Amino acid sequence: MPNRQLSGSEMRLDAMQIAVQALQHVIVLFSGIILVPVILINFYRIPDAEGYRFIFMTGLVSAAATLMQVIRYRQFGLGAPMFMGTSGAFIACAHAAITQGGLHLLSNLVLMTAPLYFLFGFCLRYIRHIITPTVGGVVIMLAMAGLLKDATHVWTGDMTVDGHEAFIRILIGVLTIAVMILAEWIGGRRYRPWTLALGMLAGCITAWFFGETDLSRVSTAPWLGLPETLLAEFVFKPTPAYWMDFFTFSIAVMVTAIKYTGDVMALDQVRFPGRRVLDYDALKGGLFASGLSAGLAGLAGGMPATSHSPNTSLMGMTGIASRRITLACTLLLTIIILSPKTTMLLMSIPEPVAGAVGVVLVSHLFATGMRLVAGKELNFRNGFIAGLSLCVGLLIGSGYFFPNAFPEYLAPVVTNGFAVGGMLAVALTLLTRLQMGRGVAFKVPPRVDHLGVVNRQVAEFAEAFDLPRATASRLDLACEEVFVHMVGESEKNSITREILFRLRRTKRKVFVDACCGTRIDDVSLDPDNAGLPGDLEAIKESDFKSIGLKLLGHIAQNIEHIHINNFAFVSFELSRPKKEA
């Protein structure tokens, strides 16, 4: 079976395949939509009519948010199959809001903090070296820890069952996982897209055999149901307690924005394995769409929608990532939300089956997070950032780290392992960036006859910072290849904006950032295919550009290439040999 995952645009899907894939995604997404509202409704004993409206609006906004992600219109939308649900990061601050002002105050805070997604998107250009794949991978793995805890509680029945019932739950869950593994590993292209459906079918049949299936709520539920009111009541009381809730909610929004960035990176790896170019313009559009959907959630009275990682795992498991499937999923999800009977049918999936499916999806999510962390050179510092952030996040999330040591108003922040671990990863990455030391910056017109300016500036940098001759030569050659590549793209697109270089050095490395005013072809070639031709005299003129990029791949390390606002940013590192350092 090939390792490469196929995106929906690369393969033909018939109506049956689209329907089955959409249903699988709805099953995974639905639990992620209703989980947070159900927890809050049960905890605060919210009346049935108000609680149904809360779930209804959360689901409807999640469907609309998913639709906004898949459709790219100007600066809005990711243009890729990103599924949107609710996030556990909002539970703690939602508790504080409902305690003080009920669902009305919660809706107000959702609406007031929605612009922060836009702010995060606008700042991407300046924080691209901080929100790195390492940070994204850490946040995804911390999210995995919370999802694994939820899946375990569902599978074990909140760990209150024992004896014969416990054995039955174990049997149902293990059989579900076994069928999913067999379908994914040895099913090939014929059965792999059906992995989730086959596993759940086997689990549900086993649960029915042992009497673990209850469909009584399905028979009594109506086919169609709408809430009594469609818009939430807007309440604004600027008390000190309100501003503290606003602060904690803002932290949750920033954490979910970072998680969204990590999920986009993970989705990119699923759709295009090995590709290292991330389109930050699309990412920014996705964040803008998230902000718009959060504003709709505040107006409608639901929870804000954010990226739902298990659906990305499902795409990796089935090998299909299609926007057509996402559109079908959105339509199917809307129908389910409008019909209480179909909602009850999904909620009647046996708990051991749902929990076992969650465990498999979490395993894929953890693997995705590890690939993001290891995608860049996993040196001591990056490994330490990932390891410490994970440990601190898991420690805080366990609930055993001095749970009563902090003031009550800080509890939504300091007891949230997902938030603390993610913010620690960001802080450590920022500290690493600040420790790079002094450097120089210079601009060069995008013309080949100005190549000498680049050579002269690099030579002056090498002399000023006392670089050894070998390192200076490699730095000059790497900057020259990047400059020539950017000049070629600028001339092709009639761009006259100057090319900016920034050079910095530490004790053992030299860091280079280059920026030009147009999008350029991928400079981060796959190292496995970056070999230089043996006969240089036999190559064609059209191959010279690829040879230059392959040469760059042999000279530099950690080559990164992103696009933001039609600007291309290329960064790389040069390691100094130990005998030089």
Side-chain angles (χ1 to χ4, degrees):
M1 182 175 60
N3 292 329
R4 185 176 182 272
Q5 311 292 345
L6 294 177
S7 68
S9 60
E10 298 171 335
M11 61 187 306
R12 296 178 179 178
L13 301 172
D14 57 35
M16 177 58 70
Q17 288 176 312
I18 292 176
V20 171
Q21 293 298 317
L23 180 60
Q24 291 185 134
H25 280 287
V26 165
I27 292 172
V28 173
L29 181 60
F30 188 76
S31 61
I33 291 174
I34 68 170
L35 178 62
V36 174
V38 167
I39 290 175
L40 296 174
I41 289 170
N42 291 336
F43 187 86
Y44 289 99
R45 301 185 183 277
I46 296 174
D48 291 344
E50 195 173 358
Y52 174 72
R53 181 184 179 283
F54 188 39
I55 294 177
F56 180 91
M57 290 303 178
T58 300
L60 201 61
V61 168
S62 295
T66 303
L67 182 63
M68 292 179 194
Q69 293 292 326
V70 75
I71 298 176
R72 182 77 184 274
Y73 179 72
R74 294 185 179 180
Q75 294 188 2
F76 282 86
L78 179 66
M82 176 63 74
F83 295 84
M84 306 292 283
T86 55
S87 172
F90 289 108
I91 289 181
C93 48
H95 272 295
I98 295 176
T99 300
Q100 292 192 33
L103 291 178
H104 299 311
L105 179 59
L106 176 61
S107 300
N108 171 268
L109 290 172
V110 172
L111 180 62
M112 294 294 288
T113 54
L116 294 178
Y117 287 104
F118 290 89
L119 178 63
F120 192 90
F122 277 118
C123 293
L124 276 177
R125 178 176 177 179
Y126 307 102
I127 60 176
R128 66 186 187 278
H129 291 299
I130 301 173
I131 310 301
T132 63
T134 299
V135 173
V138 166
V139 172
I140 285 179
M141 286 189 281
L142 286 173
M144 171 278 307
L147 292 171
L148 181 60
K149 183 178 179 181
D150 294 336
T152 303
H153 275 271
V154 171
W155 187 354
T156 61
D158 293 334
M159 295 181 287
T160 58
V161 298
D162 53 15
H164 179 67
E165 184 180 357
F167 174 77
I168 291 175
R169 281 178 172 262
I170 293 173
L171 179 62
I172 295 171
V174 169
L175 181 61
T176 301
I177 293 175
V179 172
M180 293 178 69
I181 291 175
L182 289 175
E184 183 178 359
W185 284 9
I186 65 176
R189 291 191 177 186
R190 183 174 182 180
Y191 295 106
R192 188 182 178 193
W194 300 70
T195 298
L196 180 64
L198 292 174
M200 295 193 69
L201 179 62
C204 289
I205 292 175
T206 308
W208 173 81
F209 179 80
F210 286 105
E212 292 289 327
T213 303
D214 181 14
L215 300 177
S216 59
R217 292 184 296 176
V218 179
S219 59
T220 58
W223 282 102
L224 183 65
L226 295 173
E228 297 179 358
T229 58
L230 296 180
L231 293 179
E233 180 182 349
F234 190 83
V235 177
F236 181 70
K237 296 179 180 179
T239 62
Y242 171 86
W243 291 116
M244 181 53 63
D245 289 340
F246 178 84
F247 171 74
T248 56
F249 222 95
S250 299
I251 296 295
V253 168
M254 288 291 101
V255 170
T256 54
I258 295 172
K259 177 181 176 292
Y260 177 88
T261 304
D263 283 331
V264 171
M265 294 176 181
L267 177 61
D268 202 58
Q269 288 298 306
V270 169
R271 298 177 71 204
F272 310 106
R275 190 178 79 165
R276 291 184 286 177
V277 180
L278 181 62
D279 189 349
Y280 272 64
D281 285 337
L283 173 58
K284 184 172 71 172
L287 287 165
F288 287 175
S290 297
L292 182 59
S293 64
L296 292 177
L299 291 173
M303 290 295 296
T306 185
S307 54
H308 194 240
S309 304
N311 287 90
T312 303
S313 298
L314 179 59
M315 285 184 277
M317 185 168 60
T318 61
I320 299 177
S322 169
R323 289 186 292 180
R324 286 179 291 169
I325 291 174
T326 311
L327 292 173
C329 175
T330 302
L331 177 61
L332 185 58
L333 181 60
T334 303
I335 295 173
I336 291 173
I337 293 167
L338 294 173
S339 174
K341 187 176 288 291
T342 53
T343 299
M344 289 299 106
L345 179 62
L346 288 179
M347 294 181 67
S348 298
I349 294 174
E351 289 185 343
V353 177
V357 168
V359 170
V360 175
L361 294 177
V362 162
S363 66
H364 280 274
L365 192 61
F366 187 79
T368 301
M370 288 195 298
R371 283 197 298 270
L372 282 174
V373 172
K376 196 174 182 179
E377 179 190 3
L378 193 59
N379 53 29
F380 170 77
R381 186 159 295 189
N382 288 335
F384 181 78
I385 291 174
L388 181 62
S389 302
L390 277 173
C391 289
V392 170
L394 294 173
L395 181 62
I396 296 295
S398 69
Y400 296 113
F401 186 73
F402 300 102
N404 301 317
F406 303 98
E408 184 177 353
Y409 58 85
L410 288 179
V413 176
V414 297
T415 61
N416 189 331
F418 177 64
V420 173
M423 298 307 291
L424 178 60
V426 171
L428 291 175
T429 305
L430 177 60
L431 181 61
T432 300
R433 188 69 183 173
L434 294 176
Q435 287 183 328
M436 281 190 177
R438 296 181 299 116
V440 298
F442 57 91
K443 295 181 179 180
V444 187
R447 297 196 303 273
V448 176
D449 56 358
H450 284 76
L451 179 60
V453 177
V454 177
N455 300 135
R456 185 172 63 256
Q457 292 285 351
V458 171
E460 291 177 359
F461 171 82
E463 182 180 356
F465 291 93
D466 195 25
L467 292 183
R469 180 177 299 178
T471 301
S473 298
R474 290 188 295 121
L475 176 62
D476 182 67
L477 185 56
C479 291
E480 182 176 309
E481 295 301 335
V482 171
F483 177 73
V484 171
H485 183 60
M486 288 184 167
V487 166
E489 298 294 330
S490 297
E491 291 179 346
K492 183 171 64 175
N493 297 318
S494 301
I495 300 297
T496 60
R497 188 178 288 113
E498 293 178 312
I499 297 174
L500 172 66
F501 279 88
R502 294 184 185 275
L503 310 179
R504 294 184 178 89
R505 63 153 291 182
T506 60
K507 183 177 180 181
R508 294 192 177 276
K509 289 186 178 182
V510 177
F511 298 87
V512 180
D513 287 308
C515 169
C516 69
T518 184
R519 290 172 174 257
I520 61 176
D521 292 338
D522 187 3
V523 303
S524 50
L525 297 178
D526 185 356
D528 296 332
N529 300 317
L532 295 172
D535 186 3
L536 294 178
E537 295 182 356
I539 63 173
K540 300 179 181 179
E541 184 177 351
S542 58
D543 295 330
F544 277 117
K545 182 172 73 171
S546 63
I547 291 177
L549 297 181
K550 290 178 180 179
L551 185 61
L552 175 66
H554 282 276
I555 297 173
Q557 302 85 40
N558 291 339
I559 303 173
E560 294 183 354
H561 178 190
I562 62 176
H563 293 133
I564 306 177
N565 295 336
N566 290 322
F567 283 79
F569 295 87
V570 175
S571 61
F572 58 88
E573 301 173 5
L574 289 177
S575 297
R576 298 171 58 190
K578 292 183 179 180
K579 63 181 181 179
E580 293 184 357

